[in-house]
Amino acid sequence: MSKEIHTTINEYLPLRDVVFQILRQSILHGELKPGERLMEIHLAERLGVSRTPIREAIRKLELEGLVVMIPHRGAAVASITEKDLKDVLEVRLTLEILAGEVACERITPELLEELKKAGKEFGRLKETEDVNFLAEADVRFHEIIYAATENARLITILNNLREQMYRYRLEYLKDKGSHERLCQEHQEIYAAIKNGDKKAVGAAICKHIDNQKAAILAGIREQQV
């Protein structure tokens, strides 16, 4: 069992939701590793709660595909598989392109300036050793594009996919060779949105996600050897 579990608690949430969010973020941020067993009694002791909210959280995590039930062993963190990655990116690609195209029409000068700054901030941090810090900078860049759509339902869906992608994003960013490429891709996306060029933004986002997909798949296959 990993020793580091982030336990910041929102006192306004029901306990079962607090436990769910703690375990969910621990999985997404890699504090609980793929394949690691989730033993109710140990988790309950670590978080200072009863086993009931732990059990409820594990059930919800199973529905999200972050936890699997293994016969005779119990719950474990789901491994990162090729099928999972392809499924998530298939949906994300379509919706990211949609968001980029809508942003071409609706982005405000203020958000365009924020997008420019977010791209530069990622470039400034590209040499950092803290992968989580870099991932947050990458997330920020994409969140500005989502906000520019002014479409609450689209933003909600994309944010959910972003959470599901967090584990994959961390694996990608561990490869320092990807950082300069990501900077260039962010610049291409920014320029296309600035110019209101839907075709260019679609092509830039497609390249951005395809490169991510290829790199993570290569990592998954390497681990399987």
Side-chain angles (χ1 to χ4, degrees):
M1 178 73 62
S2 294
K3 294 182 179 179
E4 298 298 327
I5 295 181
H6 184 62
T7 57
T8 298
I9 294 177
N10 183 334
E11 62 186 36
Y12 299 105
L13 288 176
L15 182 59
R16 64 179 181 276
D17 293 335
V18 170
V19 172
F20 168 70
Q21 289 297 335
I22 289 173
L23 294 182
R24 188 173 191 270
Q25 290 304 312
S26 295
I27 292 171
L28 293 172
H29 289 252
E31 294 160 5
L32 292 171
K33 307 294 184 183
E36 185 170 347
R37 291 181 64 190
L38 301 178
M39 293 175 282
E40 291 180 12
I41 190 167
H42 288 174
L43 289 171
E45 290 174 355
R46 189 174 297 277
L47 298 181
V49 299
S50 71
R51 294 175 65 178
T52 299
I54 298 292
R55 191 175 302 117
E56 291 174 347
I58 287 174
R59 287 172 183 161
K60 288 181 68 176
L61 291 166
E62 184 183 11
L63 292 175
E64 285 200 358
L66 292 175
V67 165
V68 293
M69 300 304 296
I70 302 174
H72 311 300
R73 293 193 63 198
V77 177
S79 297
I80 297 174
T81 68
E82 289 191 29
K83 180 66 165 57
D84 291 335
L85 175 67
K86 290 176 179 177
D87 285 352
V88 173
L89 286 182
E90 187 173 61
V91 179
R92 184 187 170 204
L93 176 61
T94 300
L95 295 182
E96 288 270 3
I97 290 174
L98 173 61
E101 291 175 344
V102 174
C104 284
E105 299 175 351
R106 299 179 183 172
I107 195 165
T108 64
E110 292 78 16
L111 280 179
L112 188 62
E113 182 62 23
E114 282 190 41
L115 187 63
K116 180 180 179 180
K117 289 179 180 178
K120 288 184 176 180
E121 179 66 6
F122 183 91
R124 188 181 70 81
L125 294 171
K126 67 182 180 182
E127 300 302 327
T128 182
E129 298 295 328
D130 190 334
V131 177
N132 282 286
F133 203 42
L134 191 61
E136 290 300 330
D138 185 38
V139 165
R140 176 60 182 155
F141 179 86
H142 289 277
E143 282 183 333
I144 295 168
I145 297 173
Y146 304 163
T149 69
E150 300 178 353
N151 185 319
R153 291 185 183 275
L154 180 58
I155 292 169
T156 297
I157 295 169
L158 281 167
N159 282 336
N160 183 267
L161 285 173
R162 180 202 67 197
E163 287 293 297
Q164 293 181 48
M165 276 297 302
Y166 202 89
R167 288 197 298 169
Y168 305 115
R169 180 181 268 110
L170 289 180
E171 290 302 311
Y172 186 33
L173 291 174
K174 286 176 184 177
D175 174 17
K176 285 194 173 183
S178 70
H179 298 177
E180 183 59 40
R181 181 169 62 246
L182 278 165
C183 287
Q184 294 172 358
E185 290 166 359
H186 286 166
Q187 178 57 35
E188 290 172 8
I189 293 169
Y190 163 75
I193 292 175
K194 180 182 178 182
N195 295 330
D197 190 335
K198 293 183 179 181
K199 184 175 180 180
V201 81
I205 290 171
C206 188
K207 181 171 76 170
H208 185 59
I209 293 178
D210 281 350
N211 282 340
Q212 186 179 61
K213 178 180 177 180
I216 299 172
L217 282 175
I220 291 173
R221 289 165 184 165
E222 184 177 324
Q223 292 174 10
Q224 293 173 342
V225 174

